[in-house]
Amino acid sequence: QKLLAEHGDLRIELGGHTDNVGQRPYNLKLSEARVNAVPAWLVGKGITAERMSARGYADTQPLAPNDSPEGRARNRRVELKKPDC
């Protein structure tokens, strides 16, 4: 929030991710719900929605193996990046 408030021209892309537990359609919906909560919160803090895009990736981009509780926890995340990076 602070970064976006201090840099009024900054646009961001948010990516929602899950672990691989469950079926892909469920994980896609979960990742979309997870990632869509962030812009909703930021809009409530005064950041305009036009500066953000959000996409759910389900379990397609893991950071860690999904074979342990720690790895699965690491894969359940929302990432922020500049668009087209």
Side-chain angles (χ1 to χ4, degrees), residues 14-18 27-28 30-32 34-36 54-59 75 77-79:
L14 298 157
H17 303 271
T18 65
N27 283 338
L28 183 56
L30 179 60
S31 67
E32 290 169 348
R34 179 173 286 146
V35 75
N36 287 331
R55 180 173 175 198
Y57 292 97
D59 60 337
N75 290 327
R77 67 195 189 281
V78 171
E79 293 181 328

Short mmCIF file of all heavy atoms in Angstrom, two decimals, residues 14-18 27-28 30-32 34-36 54-59 75 77-79:
data_model
loop_
_atom_site.label_atom_id
_atom_site.label_comp_id
_atom_site.label_asym_id
_atom_site.label_seq_id
_atom_site.Cartn_x
_atom_site.Cartn_y
_atom_site.Cartn_z
N LEU A 14 -0.87 -8.60 -10.09
CA LEU A 14 -0.93 -9.51 -8.95
C LEU A 14 -1.20 -10.92 -9.47
O LEU A 14 -2.05 -11.11 -10.35
CB LEU A 14 -2.04 -9.09 -8.00
CG LEU A 14 -1.86 -7.70 -7.39
CD1 LEU A 14 -3.19 -7.14 -6.94
CD2 LEU A 14 -0.88 -7.75 -6.26
N GLY A 15 -0.47 -11.88 -8.94
CA GLY A 15 -0.67 -13.28 -9.32
C GLY A 15 -1.01 -14.10 -8.10
O GLY A 15 -0.29 -14.07 -7.09
N GLY A 16 -2.11 -14.84 -8.17
CA GLY A 16 -2.54 -15.71 -7.08
C GLY A 16 -2.13 -17.15 -7.37
O GLY A 16 -2.26 -17.63 -8.50
N HIS A 17 -1.62 -17.83 -6.35
CA HIS A 17 -1.09 -19.19 -6.52
C HIS A 17 -1.61 -20.10 -5.40
O HIS A 17 -1.94 -19.63 -4.31
CB HIS A 17 0.43 -19.15 -6.47
CG HIS A 17 1.03 -18.25 -7.49
ND1 HIS A 17 1.35 -18.66 -8.75
CD2 HIS A 17 1.33 -16.93 -7.45
CE1 HIS A 17 1.84 -17.65 -9.45
NE2 HIS A 17 1.83 -16.58 -8.67
N THR A 18 -1.64 -21.40 -5.70
CA THR A 18 -2.04 -22.40 -4.72
C THR A 18 -1.02 -23.54 -4.72
O THR A 18 -0.15 -23.61 -5.57
CB THR A 18 -3.42 -23.01 -5.06
OG1 THR A 18 -3.31 -23.74 -6.29
CG2 THR A 18 -4.49 -21.95 -5.18
N ASN A 27 -8.56 -25.29 -7.62
CA ASN A 27 -7.38 -24.46 -7.31
C ASN A 27 -7.38 -23.17 -8.11
O ASN A 27 -6.93 -22.13 -7.62
CB ASN A 27 -6.10 -25.25 -7.54
CG ASN A 27 -5.83 -26.22 -6.42
OD1 ASN A 27 -6.32 -26.05 -5.31
ND2 ASN A 27 -5.05 -27.24 -6.70
N LEU A 28 -7.88 -23.21 -9.33
CA LEU A 28 -7.96 -21.98 -10.12
C LEU A 28 -8.93 -21.00 -9.47
O LEU A 28 -8.60 -19.81 -9.31
CB LEU A 28 -8.39 -22.29 -11.55
CG LEU A 28 -8.45 -21.09 -12.49
CD1 LEU A 28 -7.11 -20.37 -12.55
CD2 LEU A 28 -8.88 -21.53 -13.87
N LEU A 30 -9.75 -20.92 -6.34
CA LEU A 30 -9.12 -20.51 -5.08
C LEU A 30 -8.06 -19.44 -5.32
O LEU A 30 -7.99 -18.44 -4.61
CB LEU A 30 -8.52 -21.72 -4.37
CG LEU A 30 -7.80 -21.47 -3.05
CD1 LEU A 30 -8.73 -20.85 -2.03
CD2 LEU A 30 -7.21 -22.77 -2.53
N SER A 31 -7.22 -19.65 -6.33
CA SER A 31 -6.17 -18.66 -6.61
C SER A 31 -6.77 -17.34 -7.06
O SER A 31 -6.26 -16.27 -6.70
CB SER A 31 -5.18 -19.20 -7.65
OG SER A 31 -5.78 -19.35 -8.93
N GLU A 32 -7.86 -17.39 -7.81
CA GLU A 32 -8.53 -16.15 -8.22
C GLU A 32 -9.15 -15.43 -7.03
O GLU A 32 -9.06 -14.21 -6.92
CB GLU A 32 -9.58 -16.45 -9.29
CG GLU A 32 -8.96 -16.87 -10.62
CD GLU A 32 -9.96 -17.41 -11.62
OE1 GLU A 32 -11.12 -17.71 -11.23
OE2 GLU A 32 -9.57 -17.56 -12.78
N ARG A 34 -8.15 -15.65 -3.95
CA ARG A 34 -7.02 -15.16 -3.15
C ARG A 34 -6.47 -13.87 -3.73
O ARG A 34 -6.27 -12.88 -3.02
CB ARG A 34 -5.94 -16.24 -3.11
CG ARG A 34 -4.70 -15.87 -2.34
CD ARG A 34 -3.77 -17.06 -2.22
NE ARG A 34 -4.34 -18.00 -1.26
CZ ARG A 34 -4.22 -19.31 -1.33
NH1 ARG A 34 -3.55 -19.88 -2.30
NH2 ARG A 34 -4.76 -20.08 -0.41
N VAL A 35 -6.24 -13.84 -5.03
CA VAL A 35 -5.63 -12.67 -5.65
C VAL A 35 -6.61 -11.50 -5.72
O VAL A 35 -6.21 -10.35 -5.61
CB VAL A 35 -5.03 -13.00 -7.03
CG1 VAL A 35 -6.08 -13.16 -8.10
CG2 VAL A 35 -3.99 -11.97 -7.43
N ASN A 36 -7.90 -11.76 -5.88
CA ASN A 36 -8.87 -10.67 -5.97
C ASN A 36 -9.12 -9.99 -4.63
O ASN A 36 -9.63 -8.87 -4.60
CB ASN A 36 -10.18 -11.17 -6.58
CG ASN A 36 -10.03 -11.42 -8.07
OD1 ASN A 36 -9.23 -10.79 -8.75
ND2 ASN A 36 -10.79 -12.37 -8.58
N ALA A 54 -5.13 -8.51 -11.93
CA ALA A 54 -5.01 -9.70 -11.09
C ALA A 54 -5.31 -10.93 -11.92
O ALA A 54 -6.21 -10.92 -12.77
CB ALA A 54 -5.96 -9.60 -9.91
N ARG A 55 -4.54 -12.01 -11.65
CA ARG A 55 -4.75 -13.26 -12.37
C ARG A 55 -4.46 -14.43 -11.44
O ARG A 55 -3.47 -14.42 -10.70
CB ARG A 55 -3.81 -13.31 -13.56
CG ARG A 55 -3.96 -14.57 -14.37
CD ARG A 55 -3.16 -14.53 -15.63
NE ARG A 55 -3.27 -15.83 -16.27
CZ ARG A 55 -2.48 -16.26 -17.19
NH1 ARG A 55 -1.50 -15.49 -17.62
NH2 ARG A 55 -2.63 -17.45 -17.71
N GLY A 56 -5.29 -15.44 -11.51
CA GLY A 56 -5.07 -16.66 -10.75
C GLY A 56 -4.33 -17.68 -11.60
O GLY A 56 -4.67 -17.89 -12.75
N TYR A 57 -3.32 -18.30 -11.02
CA TYR A 57 -2.49 -19.28 -11.72
C TYR A 57 -2.66 -20.70 -11.18
O TYR A 57 -2.01 -21.62 -11.66
CB TYR A 57 -1.01 -18.89 -11.64
CG TYR A 57 -0.69 -17.64 -12.41
CD1 TYR A 57 -0.63 -16.40 -11.79
CD2 TYR A 57 -0.45 -17.69 -13.78
CE1 TYR A 57 -0.33 -15.25 -12.49
CE2 TYR A 57 -0.15 -16.55 -14.50
CZ TYR A 57 -0.08 -15.33 -13.84
OH TYR A 57 0.20 -14.19 -14.56
N ALA A 58 -3.47 -20.86 -10.15
CA ALA A 58 -3.66 -22.17 -9.51
C ALA A 58 -2.29 -22.71 -9.08
O ALA A 58 -1.52 -21.99 -8.46
CB ALA A 58 -4.41 -23.13 -10.42
N ASP A 59 -2.00 -23.97 -9.42
CA ASP A 59 -0.74 -24.61 -8.98
C ASP A 59 0.28 -24.72 -10.10
O ASP A 59 1.18 -25.53 -10.05
CB ASP A 59 -1.05 -26.00 -8.42
CG ASP A 59 -1.70 -26.91 -9.46
OD1 ASP A 59 -2.30 -26.40 -10.43
OD2 ASP A 59 -1.61 -28.13 -9.31
N ASN A 75 3.89 -22.29 -1.58
CA ASN A 75 3.24 -22.14 -2.88
C ASN A 75 1.89 -21.43 -2.80
O ASN A 75 1.39 -20.96 -3.81
CB ASN A 75 3.07 -23.51 -3.55
CG ASN A 75 4.40 -24.06 -3.99
OD1 ASN A 75 5.30 -23.32 -4.38
ND2 ASN A 75 4.57 -25.36 -3.92
N ARG A 77 0.28 -18.33 -2.24
CA ARG A 77 0.78 -16.95 -2.13
C ARG A 77 0.11 -16.04 -3.15
O ARG A 77 -0.53 -16.49 -4.09
CB ARG A 77 2.29 -16.92 -2.35
CG ARG A 77 2.66 -17.30 -3.79
CD ARG A 77 4.12 -17.63 -3.96
NE ARG A 77 4.48 -17.77 -5.37
CZ ARG A 77 4.25 -18.85 -6.10
NH1 ARG A 77 3.64 -19.90 -5.59
NH2 ARG A 77 4.61 -18.90 -7.37
N VAL A 78 0.33 -14.73 -2.96
CA VAL A 78 0.03 -13.71 -3.96
C VAL A 78 1.33 -12.98 -4.21
O VAL A 78 2.02 -12.56 -3.28
CB VAL A 78 -1.06 -12.73 -3.47
CG1 VAL A 78 -1.19 -11.56 -4.43
CG2 VAL A 78 -2.39 -13.44 -3.31
N GLU A 79 1.67 -12.85 -5.49
CA GLU A 79 2.89 -12.14 -5.88
C GLU A 79 2.52 -10.83 -6.55
O GLU A 79 1.50 -10.72 -7.23
CB GLU A 79 3.70 -12.98 -6.88
CG GLU A 79 4.28 -14.22 -6.28
CD GLU A 79 5.10 -15.02 -7.27
OE1 GLU A 79 4.76 -15.01 -8.49
OE2 GLU A 79 6.05 -15.64 -6.84
#
